[in-house]
Amino acid sequence: SGELNCSLPSPRNVHFESINMKNVLHWSAPEGTGNGVLYKVKYTVYGVGKWIRKPECRNINRTWCDLSSETSDYEEQYYASVKAFLNGTCSDWMETTRFNPLTDTKIDPPMVSVSSTDRSISIILTAPEKWKRSPEEESISLLQVYPGLQYNVSVLNKKTKKRWFFSISNNTLVVPWLEPGTAYCVSAQIHVTTPLLDSDFSKEHCITTLKDK
Amino acid sequence: LGACRVSMSMTEVRAGFTAIKANIQSRDPIRTLSILSHPHSLHKVKSSDRCCITHQLFTFYVDKVFKHCRTEDSFVNRKISSIANSFLSARRKLGQCHEQNKCVCGEESTEKFKQILANYEGLNVTSAAMKSLGELDILLDWMEKSR
């Protein structure tokens, strides 16, 4: 593009949005440009000498580009960059900050399943899986990625509004000495101490303990 | 770290680094060179060499990195000295392990550390120190993964 005149303002706020290591590059259109702007994207592994173009994100008019596949090795760190084109002019490349998939991803809440007896409820929690290229690819639980992963569990007695909090490392919890025939609502969050990562709390799963025998 | 027990508040060091990461990394314009992770990744180090590499790296950060990372920002400087203090006490403990032969250096770790020093000496001191500090999460990620 050496022959093009690069006086177009650059794309703005170029950054990765990452959930469970699904890493998508996002940006905003250059200031003052309406429709018709096209973009191309490149990325590099930090410490390695070359920038690599992303063919699927060449001459695109959308303002995002999925780089999950290219940034799936979470033992590496990355930069990505975007360039804009409009009516024969172009912008400079605009880069992200250094992206570390391990620390810069957001984690979804755990899956929660609940069962009950008359005086207890059993809770089974499942951590989300790391993003993967295809369903056939082997699943990697985020538990394997973050050895220090824990669960914070909230249990609410719907009748008395009394709430308990538990912090557990394994994925099952039995809450004993409950009242028969009473509704309890369970919600759980993932907590990684270091690097510090907290998911949101899951939506509530309510169950009623069996009536007294 | 094998027979060597070292306690360091990873949460505190992590939090300190996270607070200054963007500031420090923005001072490092070089994308094509890494001090710690290329050409050899820390993640390929054998477990038997982990203690020695950790000891060498803590010595590296204490002797060659933190002291060359003063900035014009007092907040950043405070965080750097807090991290440095954590490294200093952990390094002392690692040194004791080394003296008691619980932190033996194999050929691989010696080679690996030589490469790190070569990467470091390939830049001027301030750039090398700032780049090394900006890569602290690479070291922390590796230490946490191999706990």
Side-chain angles (χ1 to χ4, degrees):
Chain A
S1 65
E3 66 286 16
L4 280 180
N5 157 3
C6 283
S7 58
L8 193 64
S10 296
R12 293 168 295 165
N13 189 23
V14 183
H15 65 286
F16 278 96
E17 289 183 14
S18 173
I19 298 176
N20 302 336
M21 293 191 184
K22 175 181 170 67
N23 307 322
V24 181
L25 186 68
H26 285 262
W27 61 89
S28 309
E31 185 115 37
T33 56
N35 296 327
V37 184
L38 298 179
Y39 304 96
K40 58 182 173 181
V41 170
K42 64 181 182 182
Y43 66 93
T44 186
V45 176
Y46 172 64
V48 172
K50 60 186 188 321
W51 285 87
I52 302 167
R53 300 293 171 95
K54 169 79 170 175
E56 297 85 346
C57 295
R58 189 167 181 280
N59 294 333
I60 55 173
N61 58 11
R62 62 175 190 266
T63 57
W64 60 268
C65 172
D66 191 336
L67 291 173
S68 302
S69 207
E70 290 77 12
T71 57
S72 63
D73 181 354
Y74 57 83
E75 289 177 356
E76 296 286 1
Q77 300 189 12
Y78 306 87
Y79 284 91
S81 196
V82 184
K83 191 183 187 75
F85 295 85
L86 179 63
N87 304 333
T89 67
C90 60
S91 76
D92 290 331
W93 287 98
M94 184 51 81
E95 258 178 34
T96 62
T97 55
R98 194 178 305 171
F99 175 65
N100 178 350
L102 196 68
T103 58
D104 300 342
T105 198
K106 223 178 119 39
I107 297 181
D108 273 338
M111 273 201 329
V112 178
S113 75
V114 186
S115 58
S116 74
T117 64
D118 56 346
R119 288 193 174 276
S120 72
I121 56 176
S122 301
I123 302 161
I124 297 176
L125 303 164
T126 309
E129 287 175 6
K130 178 181 182 288
W131 171 86
K132 58 183 182 181
R133 286 182 182 79
S134 66
E136 296 74 40
E137 197 177 34
E138 186 208 348
S139 295
I140 298 173
S141 166
L142 289 182
L143 198 53
Q144 298 165 254
V145 177
Y146 301 102
L149 186 146
Q150 297 174 334
Y151 301 96
N152 292 334
V153 184
S154 147
V155 178
L156 171 73
N157 179 324
K158 289 276 276 188
K159 190 165 61 178
T160 63
K161 300 295 185 237
K162 183 176 178 188
R163 188 185 294 270
W164 298 276
F165 279 102
F166 303 87
S167 192
I168 57 173
S169 295
N170 61 339
N171 69 330
T172 54
L173 172 67
V174 177
V175 184
W177 303 314
L178 300 179
E179 295 172 43
T182 304
Y184 290 88
C185 292
V186 177
S187 174
Q189 166 198 45
I190 282 179
H191 172 64
V192 178
T193 45
T194 175
L196 184 58
L197 292 169
D198 284 339
S199 75
D200 295 334
F201 267 90
S202 66
K203 67 181 177 61
E204 281 193 332
H205 292 255
C206 300
I207 192 165
T208 303
T209 49
L210 304 178
K211 295 234 182 318
D212 230 344
K213 291 183 187 110
Chain B
L1 292 169
C4 182
R5 294 279 129 199
V6 179
S7 67
M8 178 172 89
S9 171
M10 292 295 275
T11 309
E12 256 174 53
V13 172
R14 235 338 150 172
F17 178 73
T18 303
I20 61 174
K21 169 180 163 175
N23 182 300
I24 296 296
Q25 290 183 349
S26 67
R27 296 166 192 263
D28 171 15
I30 304 170
R31 309 288 184 253
T32 53
L33 168 69
S34 164
I35 304 288
L36 296 185
S37 55
H38 286 277
H40 308 305
S41 164
L42 281 176
H43 295 280
K44 305 288 187 288
V45 168
K46 284 192 307 227
S47 57
S48 55
D49 275 10
R50 250 201 336 256
C51 182
C52 172
I53 280 271
T54 305
H55 180 218
Q56 290 173 318
L57 284 171
F58 273 54
T59 302
F60 167 74
Y61 270 88
V62 167
D63 294 347
K64 285 182 177 294
V65 176
F66 296 128
K67 61 179 70 172
H68 296 300
C69 285
R70 279 204 71 75
T71 75
E72 72 296 338
D73 185 321
S74 58
F75 170 80
V76 171
N77 292 340
R78 276 199 310 278
K79 292 293 179 184
I80 293 172
S81 61
S82 158
I83 294 168
N85 288 331
S86 296
F87 268 58
L88 205 57
S89 55
R91 197 269 300 256
R92 204 172 292 126
K93 180 61 182 152
L94 282 160
Q96 290 161 9
C97 287
H98 191 65
E99 284 153 23
Q100 298 152 14
N101 270 322
K102 291 186 205 155
C103 200
V104 176
C105 291
E107 198 185 320
E108 184 180 323
S109 53
T110 308
E111 203 46 44
K112 169 70 194 167
F113 188 61
K114 240 189 249 169
Q115 179 64 60
I116 288 171
L117 285 183
N119 292 344
Y120 177 89
E121 272 134 24
L123 300 171
N124 71 71
V125 171
T126 307
S127 304
M130 206 51 87
K131 179 178 267 297
S132 303
L133 183 57
E135 294 186 8
L136 202 62
D137 54 350
I138 294 175
L139 174 58
L140 299 176
D141 292 351
W142 170 67
M143 288 174 68
E144 279 155 9
K145 191 186 131 189
S146 41
R147 259 192 309 190

